[in-house]
């Protein structure tokens, strides 16, 4: 699903296989229109995109197309496969879901290690991680487990895993209006240079291709403006902690 005025990126569906874990990792590559201008002397940026739990990695084309239009190679990564055991419900959701997040973080590391050799004209040393909900939790954990793995993190309403307070990584968190994050997920005043951007009227479950056009346009604009220009939104509700 592309936004009006946004050219859809050239897409390539692949399935990577991690032999060490005997696990397939479906990915969708969105190739930037300016890819022919990328080379070893001018490496173009890369974003790894992680879906929410129960969503497909192809359900966020509006973000992928917007980033590809801004010159990014976007790799959307499917973390949940048929046959995976669902995380148990319980009082301690973080403990229950941590193994799933760790599996997703390992997926991201494997995707980078595999594709970096195939696409040397892109900057795999300064990744941007983008994730919705559970995909945002996976991305935040990946940064915590592997410092230096990414230079920027964007989460769409992740609710469970704390955002990194590392000054070496730029962080944007877009927040919906219908759910609150768990305590400690979002920064308190003075905890790192994290951009927290509420989107009034946004629903958690609408932050994908099936959401309303106004919301997709808003998310895409905020994500691109943050990653390309370093801006923390332009609403009165935008707040950068720190």
């Amino acid at each position: 699903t592309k936004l009006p005025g946004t050219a859809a990126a050239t897409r390539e569906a692949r399935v990577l296989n991690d032999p060490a874990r005997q696990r397939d990792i479906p990915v969708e590559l969105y190739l930037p229109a300016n890819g022919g201008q990328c080379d070893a002397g001018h490496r173009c940026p890369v974003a790894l995109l992680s879906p929410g739990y129960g969503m497909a990695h192809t359900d966020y084309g509006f973000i992928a197309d917007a980033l590809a239009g801004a010159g990014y190679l976007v790799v959307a990564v499917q973390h949940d496969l048929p046959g995976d055991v669902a995380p148990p419900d319980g009082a301690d959701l973080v403990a229950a879901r941590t193994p799933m997040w760790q599996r997703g973080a390992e997926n991201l590391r494997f995707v980078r290690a595999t594709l970096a050799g195939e696409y040397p004209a892109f900057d795999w040393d300064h990744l941007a991680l983008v994730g919705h909900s559970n995909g945002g939790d996976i991305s935040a954990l990946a940064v915590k487990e592997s410092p230096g793995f990414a230079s920027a993190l964007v989460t769409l309403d992740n609710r469970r895993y704390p955002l990194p307070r590392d000054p070496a990584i730029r962080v944007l968190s877009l927040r919906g209006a219908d759910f609150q994050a768990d305590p400690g997920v979002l920064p308190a005043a003075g905890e790192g240079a994290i951009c927290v951007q509420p989107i009034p009227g946004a629903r958690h479950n609408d932050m994908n291709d099936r959401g309303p056009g106004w919301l997709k346009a808003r998310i895409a604009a905020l994500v691109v403006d943050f990653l390309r220009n370093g801006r923390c939104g332009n609403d009165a509700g935008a707040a950068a902690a720190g």
Side-chain angles (χ1 to χ4, degrees):
T1 302
K2 71 181 184 68
L3 300 176
T6 302
T10 301
R11 296 169 58 164
E12 178 185 349
R14 296 180 57 181
V15 178
L16 308 180
N17 180 264
D18 182 353
R21 296 183 295 155
Q22 298 185 330
R23 186 171 182 85
D24 287 337
I25 307 171
V27 298
E28 190 91 358
L29 282 74
Y30 298 75
L31 303 172
N34 70 335
Q37 302 173 20
C38 308
D39 55 38
H42 178 71
R43 295 193 298 164
C44 294
V46 181
L48 302 186
L49 175 59
S50 296
Y53 184 70
M55 302 294 291
H57 61 307
T58 54
D59 285 337
Y60 299 83
F62 76 101
I63 296 176
D65 283 336
L67 285 173
Y72 279 75
L73 168 63
V74 182
V75 186
V77 183
Q78 183 64 42
H79 297 294
D80 308 313
L81 301 179
D84 285 347
V85 177
D89 292 326
D92 192 343
L93 291 176
V94 171
R97 297 183 184 189
T98 293
M100 176 176 60
W101 298 335
Q102 290 173 329
R103 183 183 66 205
E106 185 62 27
N107 290 342
L108 294 178
R109 288 189 287 266
F110 182 81
V111 166
R112 180 180 115 162
T114 301
L115 296 181
E118 297 184 28
Y119 294 89
F122 293 89
D123 188 359
W124 299 91
D125 296 326
H126 300 90
L127 289 177
L129 303 184
V130 182
H132 173 222
S133 190
N134 192 67
D137 292 327
I138 287 171
S139 301
L141 181 138
V143 170
K144 178 68 173 179
E145 285 190 336
S146 303
F149 179 70
S151 60
L153 170 67
V154 176
T155 72
L156 280 59
D157 221 31
N158 75 301
R159 298 169 55 205
R160 309 296 181 195
Y161 196 83
L163 296 174
R165 273 65 163 176
D166 183 348
I169 181 170
R170 298 184 298 129
V171 181
L172 166 67
S173 189
L174 305 181
R175 312 307 305 178
D178 51 347
F179 293 110
Q180 295 295 317
D182 288 353
V185 170
L186 301 180
E191 280 193 303
I194 298 176
C195 174
V196 178
Q197 171 66 67
I199 304 180
R203 287 165 34 94
H204 180 86
N205 291 335
D206 286 344
M207 293 179 163
N208 56 69
D209 283 340
R210 295 189 287 274
W214 72 266
L215 178 58
K216 292 186 288 186
R218 183 75 178 124
I219 290 172
L222 286 167
V223 171
V224 170
D225 201 28
F226 176 77
L227 291 179
R228 297 301 285 164
N229 304 313
R231 285 196 282 262
C232 177
N234 54 22
D235 285 348

